[in-house]
Amino acid sequence: MTEKLARKEVMRRALKIEPTVYIGKCGLKSSVCDEIKGQLKKNRLIKMRVLSRARDKDDGIIDNVAKMTQSVIVDVRGNVAIITDKRTWKSLCQKKFEGV
């Protein structure tokens, strides 16, 4: 499967979930990164929302999250980002779906 098809599959799965991590005006802290790591380990796919008052918003806070948690950014729309762990992303990119 190509990355495009893997992205479609992850987006289909992400439609059913609500944002579970909110990054607020204090910005990105180590406790938030630890929470994201824990949720990725448990759920393998999370949605996070960066509030408009976030301090580090202009500095690419979502990119920093991906680097600190060693995850993959699947999609960013507005202030909502969908991220998954690298293991899940790699397995989806290699998987072959029927009818595709």
Side-chain angles (χ1 to χ4, degrees):
M1 174 184 285
T2 64
E3 284 191 16
K4 183 178 178 182
L5 294 174
R7 186 175 309 274
K8 278 185 171 182
E9 176 64 20
V10 172
M11 292 298 293
R12 184 188 62 77
R13 293 178 186 180
L15 284 173
K16 300 174 185 173
I17 62 174
E18 294 293 321
T20 56
V21 176
Y22 291 86
I23 299 176
K25 64 182 179 181
C26 293
L28 188 61
K29 293 185 174 184
S30 62
S31 60
V32 175
C33 284
D34 293 339
E35 178 66 25
I36 292 170
K37 285 179 188 178
Q39 286 190 21
L40 281 173
K41 189 172 185 178
K42 182 180 177 184
N43 302 330
R44 303 177 98 185
L45 172 71
I46 63 169
K47 247 187 210 182
M48 67 178 197
R49 180 179 296 271
V50 180
L51 301 178
S52 60
R53 299 175 72 192
R55 184 181 315 158
D56 304 331
K57 186 177 177 187
D58 297 332
D59 298 335
I61 195 167
I62 297 170
D63 293 329
N64 290 340
V65 167
K67 287 177 189 172
M68 294 174 80
T69 59
Q70 297 172 353
S71 58
V72 177
I73 301 169
V74 177
D75 191 41
V76 178
R77 294 187 185 184
N79 292 338
V80 178
I82 299 169
I83 60 175
T84 187
D85 60 340
K86 287 185 178 182
R87 184 180 68 181
T88 303
W89 180 252
K90 189 174 181 180
S91 69
L92 279 174
C93 287
Q94 294 173 351
K95 188 175 180 181
K96 293 185 170 101
F97 287 99
E98 295 88 27
V100 179

